[in-house]
Amino acid sequence: MSENEAPSENLVPPAVILCEPQLGENIGMVARAMANFGLKDLRLVNPRDGWPSERARSAASRADHVIDAARVFDTVEEALADLQLVFATTARIRDMPKPVVGPDEAASETVARGMQGVNTGYMFGRERWGLNNDEVALANKIVTLPVDPTYASLNIAQAVLVCAYEWRRVATAGRLPFTLDDYGAEPAKKEDVVRFFEHLEEALDKRGFFRPVEKRPTTIRRVRNIFQKASLTENEVRTLRGIIASFDKYGIKEDKE
C-alpha cells in the first residue's frame, strides 16, 4: 500500500480488547480483521483456552504480527489501564446513562483523538453473551451496529471487522489502495483512433454491413461513438486493429453441418 493510502504517522490506532474470548479460532479471525485495516494492538483478558494458541495463529491467516504482539491480562481494568477513550461494543440496551454511537461516529472520534496522541480502544465481549454491565461501565461510550434487532448477534470477528473498517475509512479519508487511474496505460492518440475507425469501416464495407447505403454516415457515427465511450488505450487500439486484420487475412469461417 502506498503512503497516500496509509493513515497519518501521527495517528495512534485504537487497541482491540477481547474480554474472556473462548475459542482460539475466533481470536485468530479477529487478528486477521485487525491486520486487514491496519490495527495491531490486540489485548486478551483471560482467554479461556490459554495463550499462545496455535489455533489462533492458524485462523489468523498470516496476520502473525498481530498474534505475536498480543498481550494477555488478568483483568479488564489492567487491559484498559493506559487507555483514555474506550468504546464498549454491545447490541443490547444497558440500564446505564452512557452515550450510544454507531461505528462511523465512533471511528470519527477515535481518529480525531488518536491524532492528538490519545490512547483509544474498542472493547468486545464473550462469544456467547458479550460484555457484562461492570465491563460496560468502564467504557466512555457504547458503540452498537445498525443490525436487524430481530437478529442482532454478530460473530466477534465480524464486529471487530466493522469497527476496524470504519476506523480505517475515516483515517484514510476513504482512499482506496488502488484505482483505475493507477492502471498506467497510455490513452490512445486521436489519430490512431481515427485510423482504427477507418480500418473497421473498410472491413465492414467489404462485408456489406452498411445497408441501406444512404444511412451509412449515421451508422458510422453510431459505431464510432460506441468505441469513443470506451476511452481506448494504445494497446487496445492495436489489439482491435489486429482483430480486424485477422478477419481480412483469414476470412470468417462458417460452421458446416
Side-chain angles (χ1 to χ4, degrees):
M1 179 173 290
S2 70
E3 292 181 357
N4 289 336
E5 286 78 43
S8 168
E9 292 182 359
N10 299 322
L11 174 60
V12 180
V16 171
I17 304 96
L18 305 185
C19 296
E20 298 183 350
Q22 296 168 292
L23 299 175
E25 292 87 346
N26 285 337
I27 298 173
M29 288 187 286
V30 165
R32 180 178 183 178
M34 291 173 62
N36 285 151
F37 298 103
L39 303 184
K40 302 176 183 178
D41 188 357
L42 175 59
R43 307 182 183 192
L44 309 174
V45 180
N46 286 327
R48 186 190 67 181
D49 295 337
W51 193 260
S53 167
E54 286 306 313
R55 289 184 176 181
R57 185 176 298 277
S58 177
S61 188
R62 298 190 298 279
D64 292 332
H65 62 292
V66 178
I67 294 294
D68 292 337
R71 290 179 285 169
V72 178
F73 298 86
D74 292 329
T75 66
V76 176
E77 288 82 357
E78 291 173 346
L80 304 181
D82 65 321
L83 302 181
Q84 298 157 282
L85 174 64
V86 176
F87 290 91
T89 61
T90 180
R92 293 185 287 117
I93 297 174
R94 304 291 179 145
D95 186 20
M96 61 182 74
K98 195 175 291 290
V100 179
V101 299
D104 51 346
E105 186 176 341
S108 295
E109 187 170 356
T110 302
V111 170
R113 299 297 296 276
M115 287 296 294
Q116 300 169 353
V118 173
N119 294 322
T120 64
Y122 291 86
M123 182 166 50
F124 299 84
R126 300 145 191 84
E127 289 91 329
R128 284 191 176 183
W129 48 276
L131 296 167
N132 61 42
N133 285 341
D134 289 336
E135 291 162 346
V136 173
L138 293 172
N140 300 86
K141 297 183 178 183
I142 289 173
V143 58
T144 192
L145 309 185
V147 294
D148 185 338
T150 62
Y151 191 74
S153 176
L154 266 73
N155 176 281
I156 188 171
Q158 294 174 325
V160 171
L161 183 73
V162 172
C163 291
Y165 162 78
E166 287 289 354
W167 175 83
R168 190 169 186 86
R169 182 185 61 80
V170 174
T172 62
R175 289 189 297 270
L176 300 175
F178 62 90
T179 67
L180 185 59
D181 294 337
D182 300 323
Y183 179 52
E186 286 290 330
K189 296 177 182 177
K190 286 300 180 184
E191 63 177 336
D192 294 329
V193 175
V194 170
R195 288 174 183 167
F196 157 64
F197 288 155
E198 292 171 347
H199 192 177
L200 174 62
E201 290 151 14
E202 181 183 352
L204 293 175
D205 269 327
K206 291 179 180 179
R207 288 160 177 78
F209 175 79
F210 297 110
R211 297 176 184 173
V213 176
E214 59 270 19
K215 290 188 177 181
R216 183 178 185 278
T218 300
T219 304
I220 285 178
R221 283 194 293 270
R222 288 175 179 171
V223 171
R224 289 189 174 193
N225 193 48
I226 290 171
F227 287 100
Q228 291 285 23
K229 291 178 181 178
S231 299
L232 297 171
T233 65
E234 290 182 355
N235 286 336
E236 289 168 342
V237 168
R238 283 196 292 268
T239 299
L240 288 168
R241 293 199 65 179
I243 293 171
I244 297 169
S246 72
F247 292 159
D248 290 338
K249 183 175 181 180
Y250 301 107
I252 299 176
K253 294 182 179 179
E254 297 182 359
D255 293 333
K256 295 182 180 179
E257 297 182 357

